């Protein structure tokens, strides 16, 4: 990664990689093999090689994942409490715990936290660079990555009632519409969340109406959550590696 925030400016970025040991859909998902190495390794290797990131810390409740993180050059200064690593636990809870732990035990207070989830293995250094550039250029409280949505515009969404009949989704029109006439619609892709530390601690949210969006292409926006998505991602990654583009 090229330097976005100069060292003499005192800006530092904490990259936090969240990785629970359990997963409801894919057993041991973060250690599942993808293109010859663990899923989490794709994110850790990218973050490790980005000079813009002051530190790369993994928040996990699992010692095996922690060992994998250390092998990849990341820090594991703590194990996440089990109460924050349940199926219903959120990345927000993990982020707040990490910020508070690092402040209390190490006196470390980064200006920004960048959440990098292992389930987005196709992000590249450019995505990190451009997210940081948006934050720099706009003095943004937060920047989040999104991707275009091609099949879920609200005007095309429908419900099926109890009788099996189709009705427009809330706010949708039942008038025929051509897809090419629809306005662009975007969805969070989960690849990059960059949030000012003070904003995160005070507001306890990743974004609000003043958040800037960084648009990523669909081919880098895949979020792995099911065995089928892992299977497809493995095929794509192996193909890219064979062609020298992975």
């Amino acid at each position: 990664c090229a330097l976005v925030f100069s060292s003499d400016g005192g800006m530092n970025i904490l990259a936090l990689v969240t990785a629970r040991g359990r997963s409801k859909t894919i057993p041991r998902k973060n250690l599942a093999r993808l293109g010859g190495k663990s899923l989490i390794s794709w994110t850790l290797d990218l973050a490790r090689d980005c000079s813009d990131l002051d530190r790369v810390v993994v928040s996990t409740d699992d010692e095996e994942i922690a060992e994998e993180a250390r092998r990849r050059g990341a820090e594991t200064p703590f194990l996440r409490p089990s109460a924050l690593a349940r199926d219903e636990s959120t990345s927000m809870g993990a982020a707040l715990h990490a910020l508070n732990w690092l402040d209390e035990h190490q006196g470390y207070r980064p200006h920004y936290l960048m959440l990098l989830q292992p389930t987005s293995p196709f992000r590249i250094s450019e995505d990190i660079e451009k997210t940081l550039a948006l934050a720099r250029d706009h003095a943004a409280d937060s920047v989040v990555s999104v991707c275009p949505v091609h099949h879920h515009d609200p005007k095309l969404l429908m419900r099926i009632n109890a009788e099996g009949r189709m009705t427009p989704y809330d706010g949708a029109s039942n008038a025929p519409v051509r897809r090419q006439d629809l306005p662009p619609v975007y969805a969070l892709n989960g690849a990059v969340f960059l949030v000012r530390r003070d904003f995160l601690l005070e507001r306890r949210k990743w974004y609000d109406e003043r958040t800037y969006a960084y648009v990523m292409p669909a081919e880098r926006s895949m979020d792995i959550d099911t065995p089928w998505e892992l299977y497809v991602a493995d095929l794509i990654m192996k193909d890219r590696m064979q062609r020298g583009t992975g």
Side-chain angles (χ1 to χ4, degrees), residues 76-141:
T76 56
F78 54 80
L79 282 180
R80 195 193 314 177
S82 58
L84 296 176
R86 298 170 179 162
D87 290 339
E88 66 274 15
S89 298
T90 65
S91 56
M92 176 60 69
L96 294 173
H97 169 263
L99 287 176
N100 288 325
W101 193 98
L102 292 170
D103 184 10
E104 179 181 352
H105 294 272
Q106 299 181 352
Y108 177 66
R109 298 181 179 182
H111 293 91
Y112 281 90
L113 178 145
M114 177 176 283
L115 178 71
L116 298 173
Q117 301 182 106
T119 49
S120 298
F122 294 109
R123 76 169 80 76
I124 61 176
S125 60
E126 176 184 343
D127 300 321
I128 292 178
E129 293 169 6
K130 290 188 174 180
T131 299
L132 291 171
L134 276 172
R136 177 201 62 198
D137 294 344
H138 299 283
D141 284 334

Side-chain angles (χ1 to χ4, degrees), residues 210-239:
R210 295 168 297 176
T211 295
Y212 289 84
Y214 166 62
V215 182
M216 290 174 57
E219 61 266 23
R220 300 206 302 270
S221 295
M222 187 174 186
D223 183 32
I224 298 174
D225 191 49
T226 66
W228 172 251
E229 290 166 343
L230 180 65
Y231 172 73
V232 173
D234 186 53
L235 293 177
I236 294 172
M237 192 68 78
K238 288 177 178 177
D239 178 67

